[in-house]
Each structure stands twice: as C-alpha cells, then as structure tokens.
Amino acid sequence: SRSRRQRRRSTQTATVATSRSAWRDVADEIDVRDFLTGGDVPDGNHDLAYAVQGAINAACAGGPATSIRRYVVGEVVLPAGAIPLSVPVKVESVGGFKMRGRGTATKILPASANMTCLIDLNGTAHSQFSDFRLSGYGTNVVERAVWVRWNGVASNSTWNDLRNIDAMGLRYVKAFEIGDPANAGVDVSMVNMFSCNAYGQSKTDGTLWQTGFYVGDGVGANNLVHSAFGCRASTHKHNVRVANSQLGWWGGLVQGAEVDFYVGNTSYFVV
C-alpha cells in the first residue's frame, strides 16, 4: 500500500474538472503527520498548528479563499495524541471538506493564553468534521472551541456536519458557536451536530463556561435551520442558548446549568 507521503504527493497533484467535485467522496487521505518537521510529534510538547494548517491547505484547491469556493482533493486525518495549537486552524471557502480524528485519542489543545477559537470554520459548505476532543492546556482560555461562521467573503457556510466532537477539560467561554455577531445577517445555515458534547466546569463563573452550544448571531435573518442529535451539555451558565435563530434539539442530555435552554427572539425551537 502507498505510504502516507506517497498519498500526500498524489493528493497535491490531483486535478478536478469542476468545483462540483467538492461534493463527492474523496479517496485520498492527507495525514497531518506528513507535515510535521524538526522531529515534532503529537505528544503535547510542540505547537502543531503549522502542521494541521498545512494539511488543511493541501486539501483545498481551485483558487484563493478570498474570491472563490474551493474544492477538495483529500480528507484531512488528525493523528492520535495531543495536538497543541498556538493559533486557530482555519478552514475557509471550501465545499465538501472532511477532517476527522481518531476519536477521543485525538486531543486538540490551546497553546496560547487567549484564543478566539481552536477550530475556525469560515465559509464551509457540505463539509464534515468529526472524531476529536478539545481539551485543556494549563490555564489557557479560548473564546469558543469550534466556531462555524461566515465573514461574508467568497462563499457562505451551509450544510456542515459536526460529529463526535467533545469539549472536555477545557477553559472556554462557549464550546460550540454557530454565527458571528460581527457579521450578523449573513448565511450560516443548516449545521447538524451529532453526538457533540460540551462539558463545562461551573455554572456560576463570571467569565468561563457561559454556554455549551450558542446558536445565532442576534439578528433574525440567515442564521437558520440547525439541528442537534444526541448531544450533551452540562455545567454552564446556559447549556444551550439560541439567539434569533432556529434549532431542533433531539435526544441527548442537558444538566447542571443555571439555565438549560435560554431562548430569545427565535422563530422556532424544538426539543
């Protein structure tokens, strides 16, 4: 069988006729380990943001993220181990993107004191992110662990799946956030979350663990039609908060919060 390095080379030289190929299944794997340099390994002692971002960039083709929705040439695979990030990794303006880890054996950690997020999904469509854990690293804090948004440039965010992602043992304000108040009213639609879990550590802290799942940007416009299936949230000020948006919450578990469901100016909310 081909080595990881061979797979990466074939992936980087692959060509696709049209951007519609973004929404097909992609056979080639792009392994983050192939982008490690200087003897770095995922042991929690090295900043690996460069390697994860390198794999993401290699998986996208078709033009600059600032002007076009790109297509994909491979599926990014995160290794087992501890993966510190000093800056957020960004997936931008792409359709059909896939990134998966090795379940709870893949731990993504914040390596900087104050980060806007760990995973920044900006203008992703028909994409899937799965099977990793977002964990703590000393006293470092993130504003949100996973952020699905659109800055209004190039392509919108729609039909994204988040599967089997845990925020656990992490110092965050929000675990999962859908939308961006700084770009309110743009199209961030149809995010589907399956077995995603947000485990806070206090419902009374004045800064941390404010919300497990924050859905909406405060404007009743194009942040629409989101769903959560079998998700869990515990020990936040608000386990689930919906702000001028739409959310269906099926199954799962909410417990230990000051308020389990905080819903404001919402066109529909179903539990």
Side-chain angles (χ1 to χ4, degrees):
S1 61
R2 293 181 298 171
S3 67
R4 295 196 312 273
R5 182 70 65 178
Q6 287 172 324
R7 285 199 303 270
R8 180 166 69 89
R9 280 200 290 264
S10 68
T11 294
Q12 290 172 317
T13 58
T15 58
V16 182
T18 71
S19 61
R20 292 184 183 277
S21 299
W23 301 330
R24 62 180 183 142
D25 287 334
V26 177
D28 284 315
E29 292 183 354
I30 299 179
D31 196 307
V32 168
R33 290 174 293 180
D34 287 332
F35 294 81
L36 297 172
T37 62
D40 288 350
V41 294
D43 62 0
N45 296 315
H46 310 275
D47 176 16
L48 302 185
Y50 74 93
V52 179
Q53 192 64 60
I56 291 170
N57 294 345
C60 301
T66 54
S67 62
I68 193 171
R69 174 174 288 164
R70 300 175 293 167
Y71 57 85
V72 295
V73 294
E75 178 180 5
V76 174
V77 179
L78 303 166
I83 304 173
L85 306 177
S86 61
V87 294
V89 292
K90 300 177 181 291
V91 186
E92 300 178 284
S93 301
V94 63
F97 190 90
K98 291 184 178 181
M99 183 171 75
R100 61 179 169 85
R102 304 292 185 182
T104 57
T106 298
K107 297 179 176 63
I108 297 175
L109 320 171
S112 296
N114 294 285
M115 299 177 65
T116 57
C117 62
L118 288 170
I119 309 293
D120 185 0
L121 310 179
N122 175 21
T124 55
H126 297 262
S127 297
Q128 185 177 111
F129 306 87
S130 66
D131 300 301
F132 53 86
R133 174 167 288 177
L134 306 155
S135 297
Y137 197 81
T139 59
N140 294 342
V141 174
V142 297
E143 178 67 21
R144 67 281 279 174
V146 177
W147 194 10
V148 185
R149 66 186 183 101
W150 183 34
N151 63 1
V153 176
S155 68
N156 60 331
S157 287
T158 187
W159 281 107
N160 289 291
D161 285 1
L162 308 179
R163 295 176 178 268
N164 305 317
I165 301 172
D166 293 342
M168 185 175 187
L170 176 65
R171 295 168 64 84
Y172 58 79
V173 180
K174 307 164 191 170
F176 298 87
E177 183 169 9
I178 301 171
D180 178 8
N183 291 283
V186 301
D187 186 4
V188 181
S189 58
M190 292 179 282
V191 176
N192 300 300
M193 298 171 283
F194 302 86
S195 299
C196 291
N197 304 309
Y199 299 105
Q201 299 175 43
S202 172
K203 64 180 181 181
T204 58
D205 192 281
T207 303
L208 299 176
W209 308 297
Q210 297 300 288
T211 312
F213 295 83
Y214 193 106
V215 178
D217 55 25
V219 174
N222 296 309
N223 193 312
L224 304 167
V225 197
H226 308 297
S227 301
F229 303 90
C231 296
R232 296 185 178 188
S234 65
T235 323
H236 302 89
K237 181 177 182 179
H238 304 136
N239 273 333
V240 179
R241 181 163 181 168
V242 186
N244 291 81
S245 187
Q246 302 170 342
L247 175 67
W249 182 278
W250 286 275
L253 178 69
V254 291
Q255 63 181 6
E258 184 175 302
V259 177
D260 280 328
F261 294 101
Y262 185 101
V263 179
N265 297 324
T266 295
S267 57
Y268 80 73
F269 175 68
V270 179
V271 177

